[in-house]
Amino acid sequence: MILASFATAQQPDFSAAKAEAVKHLQELVRIDTSNPPGNETRAAEYLKSVLAKEGIASEIVESAPGRGSLIARLKGSGAKKPLLLMGHLDVVGVERARWTVDPFAAEIKDGYVYGRGSSDDKGMDAANLVVFLTLKRLNVPLDRDVILLAEAGEEGTTEFGIDFLVEKHWEKIAAEYALNEGGASLVTPDGQVAVVGVSPTQKIPRGLKVIARGSSGHGSMPRLDDPITHLAAAVAKIGQWQPPMRLNDTTRAFFARLAKISPADQAWFYTHLEDPKTQQQFREHDIALNSMLRTSISPTIIQGGFRENVIPAEAEATLDVRALPDEDMPKFIATLKELVNDPAVEIVPLERGQQRPPAPPSRLDSEMYAALERAQQKAWPGAATLPVMQVGATDSAQLRVKGVQAYDIAIPQTDEDRKRVHGNDERISVEQLGKFVEYLWHATTDIAGKK
C-alpha cells in the first residue's frame, strides 16, 4: 500500500521523499523548456499526469500556445488564507559544446543531478510537488488551502507567466504567504549547511543601454569622433565605478546576524561595512555581498561595426543594472552621464521595459518567517536562518505588489554549485534536495496545518 510504505504516524518517510523528488527532477530536466521558446506546457502536462494519478485535479493555463502554467489546490478549512508553493518550469539556454554531460539527460554523478534547470528551478518544482503529494497522501488537516504553481516565463519573459497569471487568473493563486525560489543557503567545504538564507526582498533589474554616435568613414583615416573609441572609454569608466553603499532593513539585519555567527576575523568586516578595507575585500573576494550592498552595474554586451575597414556611425553596450528597491533611476542615469562626461554618449533604459516592479519587502516578524526558522532547526539544526537581499530577481516581486508576503528560499549549494547556475554543468546535490524537501514539509505543515 502506498501510504504504508511512504509514511508512518503522519510523518513522511523522508528517505522515500528524497528518492521521489530526484525521480521527478530527472523527468522534468529531460523535458527541454529552454526559454526561448519555452514550451513549458510539456513540463506542465507531466506534472498534471502525476497529480492525476493521485486523484488531484489541476489545470494548465496558457498565455500563448505552449506557454502553460500549472495550478493545483488542496483545500483547507478556510480558517486562514492560502499558502502558495511556486516554482518556474522554463530554463535558460545552453552552450552544449561547453558541457561535460548531456544538459538534458539528468545524469546522476558523484551525488549530484546534472542538467539544465536542476538548480534553477526544477529542483524547487520537484520539492514542491513531493510536499504537495504527501499532504494529500497523509490526508493532513489544513487550516489553509495549499496552492501548487509551476509557471512559465520566469527567465526574462514574465508576460507569459507571472504577469499573465496576476492579470488573468489572480483568484486562482491569491495567497497570504508564498514560498518561491531565490534564497541563498550555503554548504561549507566540509559539507555542512552553515546559513539558510531567506529572501524577503530583492533588487530590481533596470537594464541600460550606452550609445555612442559619431561620423562613419574609411578605417584608414582615424577619426576623433570614432563611436567605438568613445563607447569603450564610457564602458571602462562605468565598469570601474562603484555605486555608493546603502543599507536597508534586510541587509542591516543580515550583516548584524552574520557577524554573530562568524569567526572574529570575518565578523570584523561585517561590523565595519563602511571601512575602505571592507569595501575592497568584498569587491575583490565576495562579489555577492558587494552586490547586496548597492545598486550594481555589469557591462554584458558590446556591439559596433560591421567591417574591418569601416568606422561605424554608432556603437552600443548593454549594462545589467540591478537596482536597490528604492533606487531613483532617473537620478542614477544622470550620475552615470556625469561620470562618463562625453556629449557623444547617451545612456537610456532598455526598450524591453522593466519586468520586475518595485515592491515592499515581506515582513521579518511574520508567522511564515518564524515557521521557516523552526523548519530550519529541524532540517539543518546546526545552521542559522538569515534574511538575505536577493541580488537576482524572482517572480516574488509581482506577488509582493499584490500584498502577498513572499519568501524566497533555496536548496543549499556550495560556492562551486552556485557558479554553475545559468552556466555550464549545472547541478544540484541529491542529499540537499532531500533535506530541502524535509525543510519545506516542516514549514508548510507548520504554517498551513490545522492547529
Side-chain angles (χ1 to χ4, degrees):
M1 184 176 177
I2 292 176
L3 287 180
S5 64
F6 196 83
T8 304
Q10 290 297 106
Q11 281 297 312
D13 176 346
F14 288 118
S15 177
K18 176 175 72 174
E20 185 173 15
V22 169
K23 173 183 176 295
H24 291 310
L25 173 57
Q26 288 181 292
E27 293 299 330
L28 287 169
V29 168
R30 289 167 184 155
I31 302 170
D32 183 353
T33 52
S34 298
N35 184 6
N39 291 325
E40 297 94 338
T41 296
R42 293 176 56 218
E45 287 172 343
Y46 169 77
L47 297 178
K48 186 177 179 67
S49 69
V50 172
L51 293 166
K53 290 176 183 176
E54 304 278 345
I56 302 173
S58 63
E59 68 171 317
I60 297 172
V61 295
E62 285 193 324
S63 53
R67 307 305 302 270
S69 298
L70 176 132
I71 306 170
R73 182 184 295 255
L74 295 175
K75 294 292 291 183
S77 68
K80 295 183 178 181
K81 295 178 181 179
L83 167 68
L84 178 66
L85 303 179
M86 65 184 292
H88 63 87
L89 294 171
D90 61 323
V91 300
V92 297
V94 298
E95 296 177 285
R96 280 181 177 265
R98 296 184 180 275
W99 283 64
T100 64
V101 297
D102 183 336
F104 299 105
E107 176 182 342
I108 296 178
K109 184 173 66 172
D110 300 327
Y112 284 89
V113 177
Y114 281 77
R116 176 58 85 222
S118 56
S119 173
D120 185 14
D121 183 33
K122 291 178 176 178
M124 185 83 183
D125 289 315
N128 287 343
L129 176 63
V130 169
V131 168
F132 195 78
L133 293 172
T134 307
L135 291 171
K136 173 67 162 56
R137 290 168 179 165
L138 298 184
N139 197 27
V140 175
L142 299 171
D143 276 341
R144 303 176 189 270
D145 289 4
V146 177
I147 305 167
L148 178 69
L149 172 63
E151 43 153 352
E154 194 275 344
E155 297 289 2
T157 55
T158 57
E159 66 273 20
F160 293 112
I162 193 64
D163 295 338
F164 170 75
L165 292 164
V166 168
E167 181 181 355
K168 301 294 186 181
H169 299 281
W170 178 243
E171 75 284 354
K172 297 174 183 177
I173 64 169
E176 180 176 8
Y177 296 117
L179 297 178
N180 191 18
E181 61 155 343
S185 297
L186 306 179
V187 180
T188 61
D190 62 358
Q192 300 302 309
V193 176
V195 171
V196 176
V198 175
S199 176
T201 188
Q202 61 185 257
K203 296 169 78 175
I204 309 168
R206 291 290 182 259
L208 300 177
K209 194 172 287 291
V210 183
I211 305 169
R213 297 184 177 90
S215 302
S216 62
H218 201 290
S220 66
M221 296 175 285
R223 309 180 66 95
L224 289 177
D225 64 348
D226 186 325
I228 290 180
T229 302
H230 285 259
L231 180 67
V235 170
K237 288 180 180 179
I238 293 170
Q240 292 165 5
W241 179 60
Q242 178 99 306
M245 182 190 89
R246 192 165 71 251
L247 291 170
N248 55 35
D249 289 344
T250 300
T251 51
R252 193 173 289 109
F254 170 78
F255 283 103
R257 297 180 192 182
L258 184 60
K260 292 179 180 179
I261 64 171
S262 300
D265 57 337
Q266 295 178 23
W268 185 92
F269 293 113
Y270 308 145
T271 56
H272 295 77
L273 294 173
E274 296 186 7
D275 192 289
K277 288 189 295 185
T278 300
Q279 296 297 308
Q280 192 65 23
Q281 170 72 13
F282 284 3
R283 193 169 195 188
E284 291 181 1
H285 303 292
D286 204 324
I287 57 177
L289 294 185
N290 190 56
S291 181
M292 199 183 296
L293 284 170
R294 54 182 41 84
T295 293
S296 62
I297 312 173
S298 293
T300 53
I301 303 172
I302 193 162
Q303 298 171 309
F306 61 97
R307 283 183 63 97
E308 177 187 357
N309 62 351
V310 176
I311 296 171
E314 185 173 300
E316 65 179 42
T318 301
L319 308 178
D320 184 350
V321 178
R322 303 298 174 118
L324 292 174
D326 62 347
E327 189 68 71
D328 182 334
M329 285 307 296
K331 184 178 179 180
F332 187 78
I333 291 173
T335 299
L336 290 179
K337 290 179 178 178
E338 184 178 348
L339 172 71
V340 170
N341 191 28
D342 185 344
V345 173
E346 182 183 11
I347 302 175
V348 297
L350 289 180
E351 293 180 359
R352 63 174 170 79
Q354 312 302 347
Q355 296 190 359
R356 308 289 181 189
S362 300
R363 298 173 63 92
L364 297 181
D365 59 355
S366 70
E367 288 181 272
M368 188 75 255
Y369 192 88
L372 288 168
E373 289 183 307
R374 290 189 291 268
Q376 172 256 297
Q377 286 299 322
K378 293 178 180 179
W380 301 287
T385 295
L386 299 183
V388 175
M389 165 73 78
Q390 167 65 264
V391 298
T394 73
D395 288 343
S396 293
Q398 283 89 332
L399 297 180
R400 293 185 182 114
V401 168
K402 296 287 287 185
V404 178
Q405 295 290 295
Y407 298 89
D408 295 346
I409 56 181
I411 301 166
Q413 296 177 300
T414 65
D415 284 340
E416 176 60 29
D417 300 337
R418 293 172 68 191
K419 292 175 184 176
R420 298 173 185 232
V421 178
H422 282 211
N424 304 318
D425 287 352
E426 181 181 349
R427 67 185 189 181
I428 202 72
S429 162
V430 169
E431 179 64 24
Q432 292 306 333
L433 174 60
K435 296 301 289 183
F436 182 77
V437 170
E438 184 177 344
Y439 169 68
L440 188 61
W441 168 264
H442 289 309
T444 298
T445 53
D446 188 335
I447 198 71
K450 188 174 182 62
K451 298 295 188 291

